[in-house]
Amino acid sequence: MTIKKAILRGLLGIPIGVFISTTIGLVISLIYGELAVIPPTNEASNPLTAYTLQYCVSMVIGFVFAFGSAIFEVDNWSIAKQTIMHFLLTSIVFLPCAVLAKWVASDLLSIVFYFLIFILIYFIIWIIQYFIWKNEIAKLNKKLKTK
């Protein structure tokens, strides 16, 4: 995969990031029964500014996750190296974005707790993807053997 293709993929990830963020905000609003599109810890700032910041952060996160998916197409890297590089890229970008958007408090305990949750979610998604691709490879190998 070329850097140009990775950037194009990243650009396609921007609306996905915004969609996910907006959907999460909607679900939280429905649960609480009132509009909650910005975190309650962001009360000190203007709601429009806070929402705009959250929107921009969602764009950055969408770009980085989509761009980072190209890492898994670097054929001469092991799956371990691909995973480590993808994890580093996404976590290095996601944490400051989450703190900036006030999704996570900026104290050490909150950041450690956030990071543990991030690792857990990342691991679960990675395991699911691993088995999906392992199954697809087995199907392809089976088709090749029958021909």
Side-chain angles (χ1 to χ4, degrees), residues 2 15 18 25 27 34 37 39 41 48 52 62-63 72 77 100 103 106 111-112 121-122 132-133 136 146:
T2 65
V18 172
V27 169
E34 63 181 327
V37 293
T41 57
L48 181 58
T52 303
F63 178 88
F72 291 105
W77 285 2
L100 183 64
W103 298 339
S106 57
I111 290 172
V112 168
I121 292 170
Y122 190 94
I132 288 170
W133 282 107
E136 288 297 315
T146 59

Side-chain angles (χ1 to χ4, degrees), residues 103-124:
W103 298 339
V104 174
S106 57
D107 63 277
L108 182 62
L109 184 60
S110 297
I111 290 172
V112 168
F113 186 66
Y114 150 82
F115 202 65
L116 291 173
I117 292 170
F118 183 88
I119 291 169
L120 177 66
I121 292 170
Y122 190 94
F123 178 74
I124 290 168

Side-chain angles (χ1 to χ4, degrees), residues 2-101:
T2 65
I3 193 75
K4 181 180 175 183
K5 286 183 182 178
I7 290 171
L8 288 173
R9 185 179 289 178
L11 291 172
L12 291 173
I14 290 173
I16 295 169
V18 172
F19 172 77
I20 291 170
S21 175
T22 304
T23 302
I24 290 170
L26 176 62
V27 169
I28 290 170
S29 296
L30 291 170
I31 289 170
Y32 286 105
E34 63 181 327
L35 188 59
V37 293
I38 58 171
T41 57
N42 226 337
E43 294 168 356
S45 64
N46 175 332
L48 181 58
T49 304
Y51 186 75
T52 303
L53 176 64
Q54 182 169 301
Y55 186 90
C56 292
V57 163
S58 300
M59 291 172 63
V60 170
I61 290 170
F63 178 88
V64 168
F65 271 86
F67 176 87
S69 68
I71 290 172
F72 291 105
E73 295 181 24
V74 180
D75 293 331
N76 59 343
W77 285 2
S78 68
I79 188 71
K81 184 175 182 178
Q82 291 171 340
T83 301
I84 290 167
M85 296 304 289
H86 183 265
F87 177 80
L88 289 173
L89 172 67
T90 56
S91 61
I92 287 170
V93 171
F94 199 93
L95 176 61
C97 284
V99 171
L100 183 64

